[in-house]
Amino acid sequence: MQLQENKSLKTYNTFGIAARARYFLEINSIAELEEALQLKKFNTPFVISGGSNILLTKDIETLVLHINLKGIAIVSENEDSVILKVMAGENWHNLVLWTLERDYGGLENMSLIPGNTGTAPIQNIGAYGVELKDSFESCEAMNIHDQQLQTFSKEACQFGYRNSFFKNEGKGKFIITSVNLRLTKKNHLLRTGYGAIMEALKRNKVTEVTIKDISEAVIAIRQQKLPDPNVLGNSGSFFKNPIISEQAFQTFNAEYPKAPFYKVSDSEYKIPAGWLIEQCGFKGKRFGDAGVHKNQALVLVNYGAATGSELLALAERIMAAVFQQFQISIVPEVNII
Ligand code: EPU
């Protein structure tokens, strides 16, 4: 382990923000993680993995740990399913491709989500009708305080919409080291209900749908709508879709009958924040090097030299405009540092 100082984090966050780490350590094994957490010189370290869900608005004055734990192993399997243990530093999309090569089903709708496997449970990543929790079996995490490895069951993770234990009570207390996933080996559940998937499958003239077809459809949709962080800095959806009460929904729907919505429970509705932001006129707008993506208003982009503070200022402006027009609060999905 080699301690680096004043290291640029530009290539470690998908927004491409040029913040610096006062101290930086690359973590390649569980033993190294344990050792790093025992360094008495540092207070609570800052953990970075795929860097796909953070907005850095300042330099990090403490020790930054870059989690680079690698490995995918089959833990157990039977005729119908397989359980994989995936180390936290494995790139999520590479994992999805690895599972598809072996015809393991469950992750295909979540193709091309940026980031690493270890951070996937923190916000319960999801796309096109599927969330991580649907394939999640358990995860292992190191307690920052005593360096013990703890196993968290699905229940213990308290998954919700872009939410989990690790975003709430567990915040700042654990570092996820691996994730166990249960995937199907046959009779795959083909989740094609999301409108855009059906259209893409039809366009590709697919008749007998496979999990690979779904993955290809999702990749095509994402490439069309969402910017590639390697080309244009971004962090996926910057905001969560707001969930509003039945009463608020009735008022909203009467005034904006054309607005899209999804009923999420008997008394709650989810409204696409992208639609609200677009209505406020922000879609495709650019303010210096900070902007709102032209194809998906939920995504903020860095055209090159935007600072975290500039992107945050834009986010705040958007939140205020949406509230003023619709009386609906939207909140960031991305962790603001
Ligand atoms: N819409 C607009 N204008 C926009 C964007 C969207 O009117 O600029 C409308 C669309 O026409 C559609 C609706 O909003 O009627 C929903 O749009 P979309 O299918 O693109 O999904 P989303 O709700 O905006 C969510 C996730 C995405 C995920 C997609 C597909 C959140 C915060 N975002 O976006 O996740 O890929 O559904 O499942 O839940 C991410 O978390 O980083 C992410 C990209």
Side-chain angles (χ1 to χ4, degrees), residues 3-145:
L3 189 65
Q4 300 176 58
E5 291 191 36
N6 284 322
K7 187 172 172 74
S8 170
L9 296 174
K10 193 171 166 65
T11 57
Y12 291 87
N13 70 99
T14 59
F15 252 128
I17 303 289
R20 290 189 166 271
R22 180 74 188 87
Y23 300 101
F24 182 94
L25 271 178
E26 186 82 39
I27 301 296
N28 296 302
S29 68
I30 298 283
E32 284 188 354
L33 182 58
E34 205 176 321
E35 200 185 319
L37 292 175
Q38 284 168 355
L39 294 171
K40 291 284 172 274
K41 190 171 157 195
F42 303 105
N43 294 326
T44 312
F46 180 86
V47 180
I48 200 161
S49 185
S52 62
N53 206 37
I54 51 169
L55 177 64
L56 296 166
T57 63
K58 52 179 188 275
D59 290 341
I60 310 290
E61 295 301 338
T62 177
L63 171 66
V64 171
L65 301 179
H66 180 238
I67 305 298
N68 195 34
L69 304 170
K70 299 283 188 195
I72 307 175
I74 294 176
V75 173
S76 66
E77 64 183 313
N78 58 30
E79 228 175 87
D80 303 312
S81 65
V82 57
I83 295 185
L84 299 183
K85 177 174 179 171
V86 187
M87 297 308 288
E90 285 290 341
N91 172 272
W92 175 262
H93 183 61
N94 286 346
L95 166 69
V96 176
L97 296 178
W98 189 97
T99 63
L100 291 170
E101 271 165 28
R102 289 155 181 83
D103 197 36
Y104 297 156
L107 308 184
E108 56 282 354
N109 292 49
M110 295 184 285
S111 297
L112 217 58
I113 295 185
N116 287 349
T117 307
T119 38
I122 300 177
Q123 58 153 338
N124 181 26
I125 60 168
Y128 307 102
V130 177
E131 290 182 333
L132 176 81
K133 72 169 169 50
D134 303 329
S135 310
F136 184 92
E137 189 73 13
S138 64
C139 68
E140 223 165 33
M142 190 176 283
N143 187 320
I144 290 178
H145 180 66

Side-chain angles (χ1 to χ4, degrees), residues 160-186:
Y161 166 58
R162 296 293 192 276
N163 206 0
S164 77
F165 167 80
F166 299 103
K167 263 193 147 179
N168 298 290
E169 299 97 293
K171 195 172 177 168
K173 295 184 188 148
F174 297 94
I175 297 175
I176 296 174
T177 52
S178 65
V179 178
N180 280 17
L181 299 168
R182 180 186 289 277
L183 304 174
T184 51
K185 286 170 71 176
K186 59 182 189 190

Side-chain angles (χ1 to χ4, degrees), residues 128 161-162 194 225 237 239 241 272 278 283 296-297 333:
Y128 307 102
Y161 166 58
R162 296 293 192 276
Y194 214 89
K225 276 200 160 188
S237 299
F239 303 98
N241 286 328
E278 182 172 351
K283 193 169 182 170
Q296 167 54 290
E333 184 207 286

